[in-house]
Amino acid sequence: MNNYVLSCCSTADLSKEHFERINVSYICFHYQLDGVDYLDDLGQSMDFDEFYAKMASGSDTKTSQINVDEFLAYFRPMLEKGQDILHVTLSSGISGVINSANTAAEFLREEFPDRKIYIVDSLGASSGYGLIMQTLSEMREEGKTIDEVHDWIEENKLRMNHWFFSTDLSFYIKGGRVSKTSGTIGQFLNICPLLNMDNLGRLIPRYKIRTKKKVYKATVDKMEELAEDRLDYSGKCYISMSACRDDAEEVARQIEERFPKLNGKVVINDIGTTIGSHTGPGTVAVFFWGDERVD
């Protein structure tokens, strides 16, 4: 019997119901909004619309990762039940959370020497990371062992493509990711930067595209260029967005139109409060299986 837990951080940005449906456990990051502490708990403590509205009105946000003690308290009950654990973390390219998970795992391996505890760096984020967890859950349902699933994700995680754009540069300027001068000019010219995640799990600006209409098409063009089997792509596609559902729905419509063999409709999720604290409202991200990220 495959008695093991698939686990991740809340920054995989699927809904609570989705995680429950695929039987994937998660542990929550933290954030502060105007100095008040909250759990990044998939919109349970604060509705995403309210969160992004507060950001848009000038509220300050800060995020903090999960510490060792939290991981110990999270993992231990699973091990006490005799379950092995495969925990996949948010990308090490944007967070140090994997260090806390590894430290906790080392302690617990001594305490539970007969149990397996795998910690995997997703090199991914948001619903791309979520689509990885969906895929691993399907493999477990097919009867794959924890070792088979672990080896597969280590070999294939860089095939999860992440492409995203922002229609509002305000929070990129505020966070120092875009200079104030460049950001001001970009906003004046209606620039929507198109970014992706590289092979080290870092967010990299790739193109400066004028107008939302053009960046929609550029994003779908990238999927056509890189998706597994190109226009015959038959895997799943997830989108995550921060308070810009109309933009996300238009990109989803174009993807479904161009890729007729998709496995179901494009799934649209909210960007959670940890990642959203840095992007602000106005970001759309597209995720699909395709060519390995090499730079």
Side-chain angles (χ1 to χ4, degrees), residues 33-34 49-60 171 174 281:
L33 186 68
D34 291 332
D49 288 339
E50 180 183 358
F51 172 76
Y52 286 114
K54 287 180 180 294
M55 285 192 76
S57 66
S59 290
D60 289 323
F171 294 91
K174 185 177 180 180

Side-chain angles (χ1 to χ4, degrees), residues 4-8 12-26 42 127 129-142 236 238 267 269:
Y4 63 92
V5 175
L6 289 175
S7 172
C8 63
D13 287 351
L14 301 182
S15 69
K16 180 176 182 288
E17 294 74 21
H18 194 151
F19 278 126
E20 290 173 351
R21 187 167 65 249
I22 64 176
N23 192 23
V24 169
S25 300
Y26 59 90
L42 315 179
S127 294
Y129 174 19
L131 183 47
I132 287 174
M133 300 313 300
Q134 169 76 42
T135 304
L136 300 189
S137 174
E138 292 169 0
M139 294 178 68
R140 182 179 57 187
E141 285 298 306
E142 292 167 2
K236 290 182 169 67
Y238 284 2
V267 175
N269 299 295

Side-chain angles (χ1 to χ4, degrees), residues 15 17 33 71 83 93 102 107 125 129 148 154 156 158 162 174 187 190 202 214 229 238 250-251 258 261 266 275 287:
S15 69
E17 294 74 21
L33 186 68
F71 272 117
Q83 296 174 305
N102 275 326
F107 280 119
Y129 174 19
E148 290 174 314
E154 288 287 24
N156 289 275
L158 286 175
H162 300 58
K174 185 177 180 180
Q187 288 177 308
N190 292 320
R202 303 171 302 186
K214 289 181 180 178
D229 299 323
Y238 284 2
E250 175 56 23
V251 174
R258 201 180 301 189
K261 296 183 180 180
V266 174
I275 295 173
F287 310 101

Side-chain angles (χ1 to χ4, degrees), residues 90-109:
L90 179 64
S91 172
S92 60
I94 58 176
S95 170
V97 70
I98 191 170
N99 299 320
S100 297
N102 275 326
T103 299
E106 284 301 313
F107 280 119
L108 292 168
R109 288 186 187 108

Side-chain angles (χ1 to χ4, degrees), residues 2-3 43 109 120 138 153:
N2 286 330
N3 185 29
R109 288 186 187 108
V120 175
E138 292 169 0
I153 191 54

Side-chain angles (χ1 to χ4, degrees), residues 24 61 106 152 227 231:
V24 169
T61 58
E106 284 301 313
W152 186 89
L231 290 175

